[in-house]
Amino acid sequence: ELHTTKEKPFYDFNLEEPGEGMTLPVLTGASFNLWDPDFGEPYAFANPKVIEDYLQKRRLKQVNTRSSAFFGMPAEWARDTATLPMHHPRIAFRDVARATDTRTMLCALVSGNQTLVEKAPYLARRDASPTDEAFVLGVLSSRIFDWYARRHVENRVSYGLLNSFPIPRPAADS
């Protein structure tokens, strides 16, 4: 959603006493761990209205950009700020992976009303159900998926790698 460098003016790094109106937690990969969305401190805090306006403006462009996860989404959805991912729970994962980590794929279901930086990418739920999302979270958190990821990941879990990993697609009635 946000970038640690490009959007730095939005952030308040005083985690003990953020400035007035700085109530939106900004998470990075170290802020969560496997199945633990509250593992660490937020990266920073931000003003929720400023971030919502910024992300909304960007999303209105992204629905027309082929490389965006939001490409092709309905215009009424894109215009509704209540549908911004920052307002909803979503699966986030750490993009940093080290050989010394016990797990390569570290993901969690982070709660809504938080925003994420590039070190904590997330999966955008387009037309899946909460049950589908729970299934994907279970697969991504499994030891067998982690074993597979460890065989292919050097130091970063990227969308490109993640998209190539095998994730079972059970029938809708399964």
Side-chain angles (χ1 to χ4, degrees):
E1 289 172 311
L2 298 173
H3 196 275
T4 52
T5 305
K6 290 189 289 188
E7 280 87 39
K8 198 170 220 162
F10 293 144
Y11 307 143
D12 183 338
F13 293 101
N14 184 350
L15 301 182
E16 299 300 319
E17 291 183 40
E20 188 175 327
M22 304 300 250
T23 59
L24 180 70
V26 179
L27 305 182
T28 187
S31 301
F32 58 87
N33 203 351
L34 187 66
W35 291 99
D36 189 355
D38 301 315
F39 175 74
E41 296 287 327
Y43 172 71
F45 285 94
N47 182 309
K49 183 62 177 146
V50 170
I51 298 301
E52 181 183 77
D53 292 347
Y54 176 77
L55 292 177
Q56 178 63 7
K57 184 178 176 183
R58 221 173 63 196
R59 181 171 67 168
L60 290 171
K61 294 177 187 171
Q62 290 175 327
V63 294
N64 297 314
T65 305
R66 284 195 173 280
S67 61
S68 170
F70 302 135
F71 178 72
M73 293 297 283
E76 61 275 3
W77 173 86
R79 285 190 299 269
D80 183 1
T81 58
T83 63
L84 280 167
M86 70 175 271
H87 294 306
H88 303 276
R90 58 218 182 276
I91 299 171
F93 60 95
R94 288 188 188 181
D95 93 329
V96 174
R98 295 174 290 278
T100 57
D101 291 341
T102 55
R103 297 286 294 257
T104 298
M105 187 64 188
L106 294 169
C107 59
L109 185 67
V110 297
S111 65
N113 299 316
Q114 301 184 96
T115 192
L116 304 163
V117 296
E118 82 281 0
K119 296 298 177 187
Y122 70 96
L123 302 181
R125 190 172 83 184
R126 292 177 56 103
D127 59 0
S129 70
T131 302
D132 295 332
E133 190 170 38
F135 174 80
V136 170
L137 180 60
V139 170
L140 295 179
S141 302
S142 71
R143 287 220 179 262
I144 192 69
F145 190 86
D146 190 70
W147 171 83
Y148 188 87
R150 190 170 288 278
R151 296 176 53 88
H152 299 279
V153 172
E154 291 285 328
N155 57 8
R156 185 169 177 263
V157 180
S158 67
Y159 283 122
L161 280 174
L162 192 58
N163 285 337
S164 72
F165 290 174
I167 295 180
R169 289 182 168 73
D173 62 348
S174 174

